[in-house]
Amino acid sequence: MHLLKNSKWRYATKLFDTSKKITPENLEKIKEVIQLSTSSYGLQLYRVLIIEDPEIRHQLKSASWGQSQITDASQLFVFCNYTKVQHKHIDDYLELTAKTRQINIDSLQGYGDFMKQKIKEKTKIELHHWTIRQTYLALGNLLNACAELKIDACPMEGFENDKYNQILGLKNKNLNAAVIAAIGYRSKEDKSQYFKKIRKPIDHIFEIL
């Protein structure tokens, strides 16, 4: 099982080799895997920013506790959840579904009304946490894709999202920086790659009822 081998191979890379860059072909593969990620209702209520500009990444580093991965990795992915869920998000999804499956959009109206009602029932805080959780599903796919391509990655929550929002101008776009991931290739100087992976025993995690 390749996924199992890949999971044992990967680790949260602490030091990246600044001389090694991800090829455009592999970057496109990673983007496609993220695009195919599962999400609630299939709505994918997020956008993913791929930060390559050195100046922007330097600014983001100061909002990330000075962690070197921000500037040293080949690319920095910023997963952004929508801060407001609008009817347009659902209407656009229905339109895309009808077009892709070549069906009459009127046949989807009931499903659209159902989604709108369920979302309406959520509080503002519930919606905020719900859309953030969607980004983590996409992040998981990025990590798996990178491991298969033997590209290193470091998922990170150690950043000040308010400053990220300001630097990237996200507030005016109805977006919020939820989680980030630096990807590239490990440095030979990164001692973390030689550490044994620490995980709880399987029988301490799972319980069959």
Side-chain angles (χ1 to χ4, degrees), residues 136-173:
Y136 280 77
L137 295 172
L139 171 66
N141 265 13
L142 173 139
L143 296 178
N144 288 331
C146 285
E148 181 169 334
L149 295 168
K150 291 299 178 283
I151 292 172
D152 292 292
C154 183
M156 305 170 72
E157 292 183 313
F159 68 99
E160 299 176 71
N161 80 306
D162 285 344
K163 290 185 178 179
Y164 264 62
N165 293 344
Q166 181 180 2
I167 293 169
L168 299 173
L170 299 180
K171 186 176 181 181
N172 293 334
K173 299 177 182 179

Side-chain angles (χ1 to χ4, degrees), residues 7-18:
S7 296
K8 292 179 179 179
W9 173 84
R10 70 155 303 277
Y11 75 105
T13 305
K14 300 298 186 293
L15 295 175
F16 285 92
D17 186 336
T18 58

Side-chain angles (χ1 to χ4, degrees), residues 88-105:
K88 187 178 186 305
H89 291 130
I90 297 173
D91 293 338
D92 287 347
Y93 173 74
L94 297 179
E95 184 177 337
L96 179 61
T97 300
K99 180 180 179 181
T100 302
R101 296 179 178 171
Q102 296 185 325
I103 58 178
N104 191 317
I105 194 170

Side-chain angles (χ1 to χ4, degrees), residues 107-120:
S107 67
L108 301 171
Q109 196 59 51
Y111 184 47
D113 292 341
F114 170 79
M115 286 190 285
K116 290 175 182 178
Q117 179 59 36
K118 287 300 177 184
I119 290 173
K120 182 180 179 181

Side-chain angles (χ1 to χ4, degrees), residues 9-203:
W9 173 84
R10 70 155 303 277
Y11 75 105
T13 305
K14 300 298 186 293
L15 295 175
F16 285 92
D17 186 336
T18 58
S19 68
K20 295 183 179 180
K21 302 298 179 183
I22 295 170
T23 65
E25 294 77 12
N26 280 340
L27 187 60
E28 287 304 311
K29 291 177 182 177
I30 293 169
K31 289 163 62 177
E32 187 173 1
V33 169
I34 292 173
Q35 178 204 20
L36 293 170
S37 297
T38 186
S39 70
S40 294
Y41 301 123
L43 290 173
Q44 295 180 292
L45 294 170
Y46 53 80
R47 286 182 64 83
V48 185
L49 307 182
I50 302 174
I51 314 298
E52 296 182 342
D53 185 283
E55 176 55 33
I56 296 176
R57 288 169 68 172
H58 179 73
Q59 294 179 53
L60 295 176
K61 182 179 180 179
S62 66
S64 310
W65 309 347
Q67 296 177 91
S68 64
Q69 297 99 314
I70 303 300
T71 51
D72 293 352
S74 179
Q75 274 87 14
L76 176 68
F77 280 65
V78 182
F79 293 82
C80 307
N81 64 297
Y82 282 109
T83 54
K84 296 178 182 177
V85 181
Q86 302 167 341
H87 283 184
K88 187 178 186 305
H89 291 130
I90 297 173
D91 293 338
D92 287 347
Y93 173 74
L94 297 179
E95 184 177 337
L96 179 61
T97 300
K99 180 180 179 181
T100 302
R101 296 179 178 171
Q102 296 185 325
I103 58 178
N104 191 317
I105 194 170
D106 292 339
S107 67
L108 301 171
Q109 196 59 51
Y111 184 47
D113 292 341
F114 170 79
M115 286 190 285
K116 290 175 182 178
Q117 179 59 36
K118 287 300 177 184
I119 290 173
K120 182 180 179 181
E121 291 173 3
K122 295 181 183 294
T123 67
K124 184 177 180 180
I125 295 297
E126 287 173 338
L127 277 174
H128 179 69
H129 289 298
W130 178 58
T131 54
I132 284 179
R133 288 196 296 269
Q134 307 310 304
T135 66
Y136 280 77
L137 295 172
L139 171 66
N141 265 13
L142 173 139
L143 296 178
N144 288 331
C146 285
E148 181 169 334
L149 295 168
K150 291 299 178 283
I151 292 172
D152 292 292
C154 183
M156 305 170 72
E157 292 183 313
F159 68 99
E160 299 176 71
N161 80 306
D162 285 344
K163 290 185 178 179
Y164 264 62
N165 293 344
Q166 181 180 2
I167 293 169
L168 299 173
L170 299 180
K171 186 176 181 181
N172 293 334
K173 299 177 182 179
N174 186 28
L175 293 170
N176 166 71
V179 66
I180 64 177
I183 68 172
Y185 296 95
R186 65 188 69 176
S187 167
K188 293 180 180 179
E189 305 302 318
D190 188 359
K191 296 179 181 179
S192 298
Q193 64 189 293
Y194 307 113
F195 297 159
K196 288 187 175 182
K197 193 180 290 290
I198 306 299
R199 293 294 186 273
K200 292 180 179 180
I202 287 180
D203 60 0

